[in-house]
């Protein structure tokens, strides 16, 4: 995590599998962890966004991740 003006985007290459479910769950966990750090440090924050970029259809069990996203949207987590 960095501020926007310090972000250097990675070089992306397509290929292999697309574990989209795992990626979304990892992102949700990272956001929850960062929010906890902010709370512990008394740092105010806005509702975070999660973006994903993919080169294809999911190749893993993604429906659980879909449910996590729906809950996160509904409860204002991200």
């Amino acid at each position: 995590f960095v501020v926007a003006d310090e972000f250097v985007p990675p070089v992306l290459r397509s290929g292999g599998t697309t574990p989209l479910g795992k990626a979304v769950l990892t992102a949700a966990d990272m956001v929850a962890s960062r929010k906890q750090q902010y709370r512990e440090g008394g740092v105010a924050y806005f509702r975070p966004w999660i973006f994903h970029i993919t080169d294809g259809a999911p190749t893993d069990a993604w429906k659980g991740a879909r449910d996590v996203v729906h809950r996160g949207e509904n409860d204002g987590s991200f």
Side-chain angles (χ1 to χ4, degrees):
F1 285 18
V2 297
V3 294
D5 65 344
E6 293 177 11
F7 177 69
V8 178
V11 175
L12 303 175
R13 291 184 177 79
S14 64
T17 60
T18 306
L20 188 56
K22 181 178 180 182
V24 169
L25 293 175
T26 298
D29 288 345
M30 290 174 70
V31 165
S33 175
R34 181 55 56 126
K35 287 170 57 177
Q36 182 61 34
Q37 290 175 341
Y38 287 160
R39 283 191 290 273
E40 290 171 0
V43 177
Y45 60 89
F46 294 99
R47 182 177 177 181
W49 292 8
I50 296 176
F51 291 88
H52 80 268
I53 300 171
T54 181
D55 66 341
T59 58
D60 64 350
W62 56 270
K63 290 184 180 179
R66 175 199 58 196
D67 297 340
V68 167
V69 169
H70 288 174
R71 281 193 302 274
E73 289 175 332
N74 290 333
D75 69 15
S77 295
F78 49 83

